[in-house]
Amino acid sequence: MAMLVIVIAAGWYAYSEYNRKPADLSSVYAGAHTNADSLVAMYKKDEQKANELYLGKAIDVTGFIAEIINQQETMVNILLSTSDDMHRVSCMMNVKRAGGIKQYNQGDKITIRGICTGYLLDVELNRCVVVDK
């Protein structure tokens, strides 16, 4: 009987973990606050140090919208401009979290919270939400 309870409990735990959704970042504490220019400059100067500070952490980034791209009806990519035309901050947002983004246009100032996933050509933020200031 005890073995049956253990098997059922383990099965329920595995099922709930498999179906768990990522935390909504709107209620998560941001470990850092910066602007798009500073974030890109830090990654360009010393990627290893920038990774130590930001990689895998929720951060708030303020910047001006360079472009809003709808991707496959499931994701919205908000690109924040910087003084360096080659590098921007790419903020990937689930379309379900992007309802408030329609009030913004190219050139508007915005603060976005996301999990920093590193630096490719742009600094990448995932699971983003718009932060109301």
Coordinates of all heavy atoms in Angstrom, one line a residue, residues 24-115:
D24 N 5.9 34.3 -14.5 CA 5.7 35.6 -15.1 C 6.6 36.6 -14.5 O 6.6 36.8 -13.3 CB 4.2 36.0 -14.9 CG 3.8 37.3 -15.5 OD1 4.6 37.9 -16.2 OD2 2.8 37.8 -15.1
L25 N 7.4 37.3 -15.4 CA 8.4 38.2 -14.9 C 7.9 39.5 -14.4 O 8.6 40.3 -13.8 CB 9.5 38.4 -16.0 CG 10.3 37.2 -16.4 CD1 11.4 37.7 -17.4 CD2 11.0 36.6 -15.2
S26 N 6.6 39.8 -14.6 CA 6.1 41.0 -14.1 C 6.1 41.1 -12.6 O 6.1 42.2 -12.0 CB 4.7 41.3 -14.6 OG 3.8 40.2 -14.3
S27 N 6.1 40.0 -11.9 CA 6.1 40.0 -10.4 C 7.5 39.6 -9.9 O 7.6 39.4 -8.7 CB 5.0 39.1 -9.9 OG 5.2 37.7 -10.4
V28 N 8.5 39.4 -10.8 CA 9.8 39.0 -10.3 C 10.7 40.2 -10.1 O 10.6 41.2 -10.8 CB 10.5 38.1 -11.4 CG1 11.9 37.8 -11.1 CG2 9.7 36.8 -11.5
Y29 N 11.5 40.1 -9.0 CA 12.4 41.2 -8.7 C 13.5 41.3 -9.8 O 14.2 40.2 -10.1 CB 13.0 41.0 -7.3 CG 14.1 42.0 -7.0 CD1 13.9 43.3 -6.7 CD2 15.5 41.6 -7.1 CE1 14.9 44.2 -6.4 CE2 16.5 42.5 -6.8 CZ 16.2 43.8 -6.4 OH 17.2 44.7 -6.2
A30 N 13.8 42.4 -10.3 CA 14.9 42.6 -11.3 C 16.2 42.8 -10.5 O 16.3 43.7 -9.7 CB 14.6 43.8 -12.2
G31 N 17.2 42.0 -10.9 CA 18.5 42.1 -10.2 C 19.3 43.2 -10.6 O 20.3 43.6 -9.9
A32 N 19.0 43.8 -11.7 CA 19.7 45.0 -12.2 C 18.8 45.9 -13.1 O 17.8 45.4 -13.6 CB 20.9 44.5 -13.1
H33 N 19.2 47.2 -13.1 CA 18.5 48.2 -13.9 C 19.5 48.9 -14.7 O 20.5 49.4 -14.2 CB 17.7 49.2 -13.0 CG 16.8 48.5 -12.1 ND1 15.5 48.2 -12.4 CD2 16.9 48.1 -10.8 CE1 14.9 47.6 -11.4 NE2 15.8 47.6 -10.4
T34 N 19.3 48.9 -16.0 CA 20.3 49.6 -16.9 C 19.6 50.1 -18.1 O 18.4 50.0 -18.3 CB 21.4 48.6 -17.3 OG1 22.4 49.3 -18.0 CG2 20.9 47.5 -18.1
N35 N 20.3 50.8 -19.0 CA 19.8 51.3 -20.2 C 20.4 50.5 -21.4 O 21.4 49.8 -21.2 CB 19.9 52.8 -20.4 CG 21.3 53.2 -20.5 OD1 22.1 52.8 -21.3 ND2 21.7 54.2 -19.7
A36 N 19.8 50.5 -22.5 CA 20.2 49.7 -23.7 C 21.7 50.0 -24.1 O 22.5 49.1 -24.3 CB 19.3 49.9 -24.9
D37 N 22.0 51.3 -24.1 CA 23.4 51.7 -24.5 C 24.4 51.1 -23.5 O 25.5 50.6 -23.9 CB 23.6 53.2 -24.5 CG 23.1 53.8 -25.8 OD1 23.4 53.2 -26.9 OD2 22.5 54.9 -25.8
S38 N 24.2 51.3 -22.2 CA 25.1 50.7 -21.2 C 25.3 49.2 -21.3 O 26.4 48.7 -21.1 CB 24.7 51.1 -19.8 OG 24.7 52.5 -19.7
L39 N 24.1 48.5 -21.5 CA 24.2 47.1 -21.5 C 25.0 46.6 -22.7 O 25.9 45.7 -22.6 CB 22.7 46.5 -21.6 CG 22.6 45.0 -21.6 CD1 23.1 44.4 -20.3 CD2 21.1 44.7 -21.8
V40 N 24.8 47.2 -23.9 CA 25.5 46.8 -25.1 C 27.0 47.1 -24.9 O 27.9 46.3 -25.3 CB 24.9 47.4 -26.4 CG1 25.8 47.2 -27.6 CG2 23.6 46.8 -26.7
A41 N 27.3 48.3 -24.4 CA 28.7 48.7 -24.2 C 29.4 47.8 -23.3 O 30.6 47.5 -23.5 CB 28.7 50.2 -23.7
M42 N 28.7 47.4 -22.2 CA 29.3 46.4 -21.3 C 29.7 45.1 -21.9 O 30.8 44.6 -21.8 CB 28.4 46.2 -20.1 CG 28.9 45.1 -19.2 SD 30.3 45.4 -18.2 CE 29.5 46.0 -16.7
Y43 N 28.8 44.6 -22.7 CA 29.0 43.3 -23.5 C 30.1 43.5 -24.5 O 30.9 42.6 -24.7 CB 27.7 42.8 -24.1 CG 27.0 41.8 -23.2 CD1 26.0 42.2 -22.4 CD2 27.4 40.5 -23.1 CE1 25.3 41.3 -21.5 CE2 26.8 39.6 -22.2 CZ 25.8 40.0 -21.5 OH 25.1 39.1 -20.6
K44 N 30.2 44.6 -25.2 CA 31.2 44.8 -26.2 C 32.6 44.9 -25.5 O 33.6 44.5 -26.0 CB 30.9 46.1 -27.0 CG 29.9 45.9 -28.0 CD 29.5 47.1 -28.8 CE 30.7 47.7 -29.4 NZ 30.4 49.0 -30.2
K45 N 32.6 45.6 -24.4 CA 33.9 45.8 -23.7 C 34.5 44.5 -23.0 O 35.6 44.2 -23.2 CB 33.7 46.9 -22.6 CG 35.0 47.2 -21.8 CD 34.8 48.3 -20.8 CE 36.0 48.6 -20.0 NZ 35.8 49.5 -18.9
D46 N 33.6 43.8 -22.3 CA 34.0 42.6 -21.6 C 32.9 41.7 -21.4 O 32.1 41.7 -20.4 CB 34.6 43.0 -20.2 CG 35.3 41.9 -19.4 OD1 35.1 40.7 -19.9 OD2 35.9 42.2 -18.4
E47 N 32.7 40.8 -22.4 CA 31.6 39.9 -22.4 C 31.6 39.0 -21.2 O 30.5 38.7 -20.6 CB 31.6 39.0 -23.7 CG 30.4 38.2 -23.8 CD 30.3 37.5 -25.2 OE1 31.1 37.7 -26.1 OE2 29.4 36.6 -25.3
Q48 N 32.7 38.5 -20.7 CA 32.8 37.6 -19.6 C 32.3 38.3 -18.3 O 31.5 37.8 -17.5 CB 34.2 37.1 -19.4 CG 34.3 36.1 -18.2 CD 35.7 35.5 -18.1 OE1 36.6 35.8 -18.9 NE2 35.9 34.7 -17.1
K49 N 32.7 39.5 -18.1 CA 32.3 40.3 -16.9 C 30.8 40.6 -17.0 O 30.0 40.5 -16.0 CB 33.0 41.6 -16.8 CG 32.7 42.4 -15.5 CD 33.5 43.6 -15.3 CE 33.1 44.3 -14.1 NZ 33.8 45.5 -13.9
A50 N 30.3 41.0 -18.2 CA 28.9 41.2 -18.4 C 28.0 40.0 -18.1 O 27.0 40.0 -17.5 CB 28.6 41.7 -19.8
N51 N 28.5 38.8 -18.6 CA 27.8 37.6 -18.3 C 27.8 37.3 -16.8 O 26.7 36.8 -16.3 CB 28.5 36.4 -19.0 CG 28.1 36.3 -20.4 OD1 27.0 36.8 -20.8 ND2 28.9 35.6 -21.2
E52 N 28.8 37.6 -16.1 CA 28.8 37.4 -14.6 C 27.7 38.3 -13.9 O 27.1 37.9 -13.0 CB 30.2 37.7 -14.0 CG 31.3 36.7 -14.3 CD 32.6 37.2 -13.9 OE1 32.8 38.2 -13.1 OE2 33.6 36.5 -14.3
L53 N 27.6 39.5 -14.5 CA 26.6 40.4 -13.9 C 25.1 40.1 -14.3 O 24.2 40.3 -13.5 CB 26.9 41.8 -14.3 CG 28.2 42.4 -13.7 CD1 28.5 43.8 -14.4 CD2 28.1 42.6 -12.2
Y54 N 24.9 39.7 -15.6 CA 23.6 39.7 -16.1 C 23.1 38.3 -16.6 O 21.9 38.1 -16.6 CB 23.5 40.7 -17.3 CG 23.8 42.1 -17.0 CD1 24.9 42.7 -17.6 CD2 23.2 42.8 -16.0 CE1 25.2 44.0 -17.3 CE2 23.5 44.1 -15.7 CZ 24.5 44.7 -16.4 OH 24.8 46.0 -16.1
L55 N 23.9 37.4 -17.0 CA 23.5 36.2 -17.6 C 22.6 35.3 -16.7 O 22.9 35.1 -15.6 CB 24.7 35.3 -18.1 CG 24.4 34.1 -19.0 CD1 23.8 34.6 -20.3 CD2 25.6 33.3 -19.2
G56 N 21.4 35.0 -17.2 CA 20.5 34.2 -16.5 C 19.7 34.9 -15.4 O 18.9 34.3 -14.7
K57 N 19.8 36.2 -15.4 CA 19.2 37.0 -14.4 C 18.1 37.9 -15.0 O 18.2 38.3 -16.1 CB 20.2 37.9 -13.6 CG 21.2 37.1 -12.9 CD 22.2 38.0 -12.2 CE 23.3 37.1 -11.5 NZ 24.5 37.8 -11.2
A58 N 17.1 38.2 -14.2 CA 16.0 39.1 -14.6 C 16.6 40.6 -14.5 O 17.1 40.9 -13.4 CB 14.8 39.0 -13.8
I59 N 16.6 41.3 -15.6 CA 17.1 42.7 -15.6 C 16.0 43.6 -16.3 O 15.3 43.2 -17.1 CB 18.4 42.8 -16.3 CG1 18.4 42.4 -17.7 CG2 19.5 42.0 -15.5 CD1 19.7 42.7 -18.5
D60 N 16.0 44.8 -15.8 CA 15.2 45.9 -16.4 C 16.1 46.7 -17.3 O 17.1 47.2 -16.9 CB 14.6 46.8 -15.4 CG 13.4 46.2 -14.6 OD1 13.1 45.0 -14.9 OD2 12.9 46.8 -13.7
V61 N 15.7 46.9 -18.6 CA 16.4 47.6 -19.6 C 15.5 48.7 -20.1 O 14.4 48.5 -20.6 CB 17.0 46.8 -20.7 CG1 17.7 47.6 -21.7 CG2 17.8 45.6 -20.2
T62 N 16.0 50.0 -20.1 CA 15.3 51.1 -20.6 C 15.9 51.5 -21.9 O 17.1 51.6 -22.0 CB 15.2 52.3 -19.6 OG1 14.6 51.8 -18.4 CG2 14.5 53.5 -20.1
G63 N 15.1 51.8 -22.9 CA 15.6 52.2 -24.2 C 14.5 52.7 -25.1 O 13.4 52.8 -24.7
F64 N 14.9 53.1 -26.3 CA 14.0 53.5 -27.3 C 13.7 52.4 -28.3 O 14.7 51.8 -28.7 CB 14.5 54.8 -28.0 CG 14.6 56.0 -27.1 CD1 15.8 56.2 -26.4 CD2 13.5 56.8 -26.8 CE1 15.9 57.3 -25.5 CE2 13.6 57.8 -25.9 CZ 14.8 58.1 -25.3
I65 N 12.5 52.3 -28.7 CA 12.1 51.2 -29.6 C 12.6 51.5 -31.0 O 12.3 52.5 -31.6 CB 10.6 51.0 -29.6 CG1 10.1 50.6 -28.2 CG2 10.2 50.0 -30.7 CD1 8.6 50.5 -28.1
A66 N 13.4 50.6 -31.5 CA 13.9 50.7 -32.9 C 13.0 50.0 -33.8 O 12.7 50.4 -35.0 CB 15.3 50.1 -33.0
E67 N 12.4 48.9 -33.4 CA 11.5 48.1 -34.2 C 10.7 47.1 -33.4 O 11.2 46.6 -32.4 CB 12.4 47.3 -35.2 CG 11.8 46.6 -36.4 CD 12.8 46.0 -37.4 OE1 14.0 46.2 -37.2 OE2 12.3 45.4 -38.3
I68 N 9.5 46.8 -33.8 CA 8.7 45.8 -33.2 C 8.4 44.8 -34.3 O 7.8 45.1 -35.3 CB 7.4 46.4 -32.6 CG1 7.7 47.4 -31.6 CG2 6.5 45.2 -32.1 CD1 6.5 48.1 -31.0
I69 N 8.8 43.5 -34.1 CA 8.6 42.5 -35.1 C 7.7 41.3 -34.5 O 8.0 40.7 -33.5 CB 10.0 41.9 -35.5 CG1 10.9 43.0 -36.0 CG2 9.8 40.8 -36.5 CD1 12.4 42.5 -36.1
N70 N 6.6 41.0 -35.2 CA 5.8 39.9 -34.9 C 6.3 38.7 -35.5 O 6.6 38.7 -36.8 CB 4.3 40.1 -35.3 CG 3.6 41.2 -34.5 OD1 3.7 41.2 -33.3 ND2 3.0 42.1 -35.2
Q71 N 6.6 37.6 -34.7 CA 7.2 36.4 -35.3 C 6.2 35.2 -35.2 O 5.9 34.8 -34.0 CB 8.5 36.1 -34.6 CG 9.5 37.2 -34.8 CD 10.8 36.9 -34.2 OE1 10.9 36.1 -33.3 NE2 11.9 37.5 -34.7
Q72 N 5.7 34.7 -36.2 CA 4.9 33.5 -36.3 C 3.7 33.5 -35.4 O 3.3 32.5 -34.9 CB 5.8 32.3 -36.0 CG 7.0 32.2 -36.9 CD 8.0 31.1 -36.5 OE1 7.9 30.6 -35.4 NE2 8.9 30.8 -37.4
E73 N 3.1 34.6 -35.1 CA 1.9 34.8 -34.3 C 2.1 34.3 -32.9 O 1.1 34.2 -32.2 CB 0.7 34.1 -35.0 CG 0.4 34.8 -36.3 CD -0.8 34.1 -37.0 OE1 -1.6 33.4 -36.3 OE2 -0.9 34.3 -38.2
T74 N 3.3 33.9 -32.4 CA 3.5 33.5 -31.1 C 4.4 34.3 -30.3 O 4.4 34.3 -29.1 CB 4.0 32.0 -31.1 OG1 5.3 32.0 -31.8 CG2 3.0 31.1 -31.7
M75 N 5.3 35.0 -31.0 CA 6.3 35.9 -30.3 C 6.4 37.3 -30.9 O 6.1 37.5 -32.1 CB 7.7 35.2 -30.4 CG 7.9 33.8 -29.9 SD 7.6 33.8 -28.1 CE 9.2 34.5 -27.5
V76 N 6.8 38.2 -30.0 CA 7.0 39.6 -30.5 C 8.4 39.9 -30.1 O 8.8 39.6 -29.0 CB 6.0 40.6 -29.8 CG1 6.4 42.0 -30.1 CG2 4.6 40.2 -30.2
N77 N 9.2 40.5 -31.0 CA 10.5 40.8 -30.7 C 10.6 42.4 -30.8 O 10.4 43.0 -31.8 CB 11.5 40.2 -31.8 CG 13.0 40.5 -31.4 OD1 13.3 41.0 -30.3 ND2 13.8 40.1 -32.3
I78 N 11.0 43.0 -29.6 CA 11.1 44.4 -29.5 C 12.6 44.7 -29.5 O 13.3 44.2 -28.7 CB 10.5 44.9 -28.2 CG1 9.0 44.6 -28.2 CG2 10.7 46.4 -28.1 CD1 8.3 44.8 -26.9
L79 N 13.1 45.4 -30.5 CA 14.5 45.8 -30.6 C 14.7 47.2 -30.0 O 14.0 48.1 -30.5 CB 14.9 45.7 -32.0 CG 14.9 44.3 -32.6 CD1 15.1 44.4 -34.1 CD2 15.9 43.4 -32.0
L80 N 15.5 47.3 -29.0 CA 15.9 48.6 -28.5 C 17.1 49.2 -29.1 O 18.1 48.5 -29.3 CB 16.1 48.5 -27.0 CG 14.9 47.9 -26.1 CD1 15.3 47.9 -24.7 CD2 13.7 48.8 -26.4
S81 N 17.0 50.4 -29.6 CA 18.1 51.0 -30.3 C 19.2 51.4 -29.3 O 19.0 51.6 -28.1 CB 17.7 52.2 -31.1 OG 17.2 53.2 -30.2
T82 N 20.4 51.5 -29.9 CA 21.6 52.0 -29.1 C 22.3 53.0 -30.0 O 22.0 53.1 -31.2 CB 22.5 50.9 -28.7 OG1 23.1 50.3 -29.9 CG2 21.8 49.8 -27.9
S83 N 23.4 53.6 -29.4 CA 24.2 54.6 -30.2 C 25.0 53.8 -31.2 O 25.5 54.4 -32.2 CB 25.0 55.4 -29.3 OG 25.8 54.6 -28.5
D84 N 25.2 52.5 -31.0 CA 25.9 51.7 -32.0 C 24.9 51.0 -32.9 O 24.2 50.2 -32.5 CB 26.7 50.6 -31.2 CG 27.5 49.7 -32.1 OD1 27.3 49.7 -33.3 OD2 28.3 48.9 -31.6
D85 N 24.9 51.4 -34.2 CA 23.9 50.9 -35.1 C 24.0 49.4 -35.4 O 23.1 48.8 -35.9 CB 24.0 51.7 -36.4 CG 23.5 53.1 -36.3 OD1 22.7 53.4 -35.4 OD2 24.0 53.9 -37.1
M86 N 25.2 48.8 -35.1 CA 25.4 47.4 -35.3 C 24.8 46.5 -34.3 O 24.5 45.3 -34.5 CB 26.9 47.1 -35.4 CG 27.6 47.6 -36.6 SD 27.2 46.6 -38.1 CE 27.9 45.0 -37.6
H87 N 24.6 47.0 -33.0 CA 24.2 46.2 -31.9 C 23.0 46.8 -31.2 O 23.0 48.0 -31.0 CB 25.4 46.0 -30.9 CG 26.6 45.5 -31.5 ND1 26.8 44.2 -31.8 CD2 27.7 46.1 -31.9 CE1 28.0 44.0 -32.4 NE2 28.6 45.2 -32.4
R88 N 22.0 46.0 -30.9 CA 20.8 46.5 -30.2 C 20.5 45.5 -29.0 O 21.3 44.5 -28.8 CB 19.7 46.5 -31.2 CG 19.9 47.5 -32.3 CD 18.7 47.7 -33.2 NE 18.6 46.6 -34.1 CZ 17.7 46.7 -35.1 NH1 16.9 47.7 -35.3 NH2 17.6 45.7 -36.0
V89 N 19.4 45.7 -28.4 CA 19.0 44.8 -27.3 C 17.7 44.2 -27.9 O 16.7 44.9 -28.3 CB 18.7 45.5 -26.0 CG1 18.1 44.5 -25.0 CG2 19.9 46.2 -25.5
S90 N 17.7 42.8 -28.0 CA 16.6 42.1 -28.6 C 15.8 41.5 -27.4 O 16.3 40.7 -26.6 CB 17.1 41.0 -29.5 OG 16.1 40.1 -29.9
C91 N 14.5 41.9 -27.4 CA 13.6 41.5 -26.3 C 12.5 40.6 -26.8 O 11.6 41.1 -27.4 CB 13.0 42.8 -25.6 SG 14.3 44.0 -25.1
M92 N 12.6 39.3 -26.6 CA 11.6 38.4 -27.0 C 10.5 38.3 -26.0 O 10.7 38.1 -24.8 CB 12.2 37.0 -27.3 CG 13.2 37.0 -28.4 SD 12.5 37.4 -30.0 CE 11.4 36.0 -30.3
M93 N 9.2 38.4 -26.5 CA 8.1 38.5 -25.6 C 7.0 37.5 -26.2 O 6.7 37.6 -27.4 CB 7.6 39.9 -25.6 CG 6.4 40.1 -24.7 SD 5.9 41.9 -24.8 CE 7.3 42.7 -24.1
N94 N 6.4 36.7 -25.3 CA 5.3 35.9 -25.8 C 4.2 36.8 -26.1 O 3.9 37.7 -25.5 CB 4.9 34.9 -24.6 CG 3.9 33.9 -25.0 OD1 2.8 34.3 -25.5 ND2 4.2 32.7 -24.8
V95 N 3.5 36.4 -27.2 CA 2.4 37.3 -27.7 C 1.3 37.5 -26.6 O 0.6 38.5 -26.6 CB 1.8 36.7 -29.0 CG1 1.0 35.5 -28.8 CG2 1.1 37.8 -29.8
K96 N 1.2 36.5 -25.7 CA 0.2 36.6 -24.6 C 0.5 37.7 -23.7 O -0.3 38.3 -23.0 CB 0.0 35.3 -23.9 CG -0.6 34.2 -24.8 CD -0.6 32.9 -24.1 CE -1.1 31.8 -25.0 NZ -1.1 30.5 -24.4
R97 N 1.8 38.0 -23.6 CA 2.3 39.1 -22.7 C 2.4 40.4 -23.4 O 2.8 41.4 -22.8 CB 3.7 38.7 -22.1 CG 3.7 37.4 -21.4 CD 3.3 37.6 -19.9 NE 3.4 36.4 -19.2 CZ 2.4 35.8 -18.6 NH1 1.3 36.4 -18.6 NH2 2.6 34.6 -18.0
A98 N 2.2 40.5 -24.7 CA 2.4 41.6 -25.5 C 1.2 42.5 -25.7 O 1.2 43.4 -26.5 CB 3.0 41.2 -26.8
G99 N 0.1 42.3 -25.0 CA -1.1 43.0 -25.2 C -0.9 44.5 -25.0 O -1.4 45.3 -25.8
G100 N -0.1 45.0 -24.1 CA 0.1 46.4 -23.9 C 1.1 47.0 -24.8 O 1.3 48.3 -24.8
I101 N 1.8 46.2 -25.6 CA 2.8 46.8 -26.5 C 2.2 47.6 -27.7 O 2.8 48.4 -28.3 CB 3.7 45.6 -27.1 CG1 5.0 46.2 -27.6 CG2 3.0 44.8 -28.1 CD1 5.9 46.8 -26.5
K102 N 0.9 47.4 -27.9 CA 0.2 48.1 -29.1 C 0.2 49.6 -28.9 O 0.0 50.3 -29.8 CB -1.2 47.5 -29.3 CG -1.1 46.1 -29.8 CD -2.5 45.5 -29.9 CE -2.4 44.1 -30.4 NZ -3.6 43.4 -30.6
Q103 N 0.3 50.0 -27.6 CA 0.3 51.5 -27.3 C 1.6 52.1 -27.6 O 1.7 53.4 -27.6 CB -0.1 51.7 -25.9 CG 1.0 51.3 -24.9 CD 0.5 51.4 -23.5 OE1 -0.7 51.6 -23.2 NE2 1.4 51.3 -22.5
Y104 N 2.7 51.3 -27.9 CA 4.0 51.9 -28.2 C 4.3 51.9 -29.7 O 3.8 51.1 -30.5 CB 5.1 51.0 -27.5 CG 5.0 51.1 -26.0 CD1 4.3 50.2 -25.3 CD2 5.6 52.2 -25.4 CE1 4.3 50.2 -23.9 CE2 5.6 52.3 -24.0 CZ 4.9 51.3 -23.3 OH 4.9 51.4 -21.9
N105 N 5.1 52.9 -30.1 CA 5.5 53.0 -31.5 C 7.0 53.1 -31.6 O 7.7 53.3 -30.6 CB 4.9 54.3 -32.1 CG 3.4 54.2 -32.2 OD1 2.8 53.3 -32.7 ND2 2.7 55.2 -31.6
Q106 N 7.5 53.0 -32.8 CA 9.0 53.2 -33.0 C 9.4 54.5 -32.5 O 8.7 55.5 -32.7 CB 9.3 53.1 -34.5 CG 10.8 53.1 -34.8 CD 11.0 52.8 -36.3 OE1 10.1 52.6 -37.0 NE2 12.3 53.0 -36.6
G107 N 10.5 54.6 -31.7 CA 11.0 55.8 -31.1 C 10.5 56.1 -29.7 O 11.1 56.9 -29.0
D108 N 9.5 55.3 -29.2 CA 9.0 55.5 -27.9 C 10.0 55.0 -26.8 O 10.7 53.9 -27.1 CB 7.7 54.9 -27.7 CG 6.5 55.6 -28.4 OD1 6.7 56.7 -28.9 OD2 5.4 55.0 -28.4
K109 N 10.1 55.6 -25.7 CA 10.9 55.1 -24.6 C 10.1 54.1 -23.8 O 8.9 54.2 -23.6 CB 11.3 56.3 -23.7 CG 12.3 55.9 -22.6 CD 12.8 57.1 -21.8 CE 13.9 56.8 -20.9 NZ 14.3 57.9 -20.1
I110 N 10.8 52.9 -23.5 CA 10.1 51.8 -22.8 C 11.1 51.1 -21.9 O 12.3 51.2 -22.1 CB 9.6 50.8 -23.9 CG1 8.7 49.8 -23.3 CG2 10.8 50.2 -24.6 CD1 8.0 48.9 -24.3
T111 N 10.6 50.5 -20.8 CA 11.4 49.7 -19.9 C 10.9 48.3 -20.0 O 9.7 48.1 -19.9 CB 11.3 50.2 -18.5 OG1 11.8 51.6 -18.4 CG2 12.2 49.3 -17.5
I112 N 11.8 47.4 -20.3 CA 11.4 46.0 -20.4 C 12.2 45.1 -19.4 O 13.4 45.3 -19.3 CB 11.7 45.5 -21.9 CG1 10.8 46.3 -22.8 CG2 11.5 44.0 -22.0 CD1 11.0 46.0 -24.3
R113 N 11.5 44.2 -18.8 CA 12.2 43.2 -17.9 C 12.3 41.9 -18.7 O 11.3 41.4 -19.2 CB 11.4 43.0 -16.6 CG 12.0 42.0 -15.7 CD 11.3 42.0 -14.4 NE 11.4 43.3 -13.8 CZ 10.4 43.9 -13.0 NH1 9.3 43.2 -12.8 NH2 10.5 45.1 -12.5
G114 N 13.5 41.3 -18.6 CA 13.6 40.0 -19.3 C 14.8 39.2 -18.7 O 15.6 39.8 -17.9
I115 N 14.9 38.0 -19.0 CA 16.1 37.2 -18.6 C 17.2 37.3 -19.6 O 16.9 37.0 -20.8 CB 15.7 35.7 -18.5 CG1 14.5 35.5 -17.5 CG2 16.9 34.8 -18.1 CD1 14.8 35.8 -16.1

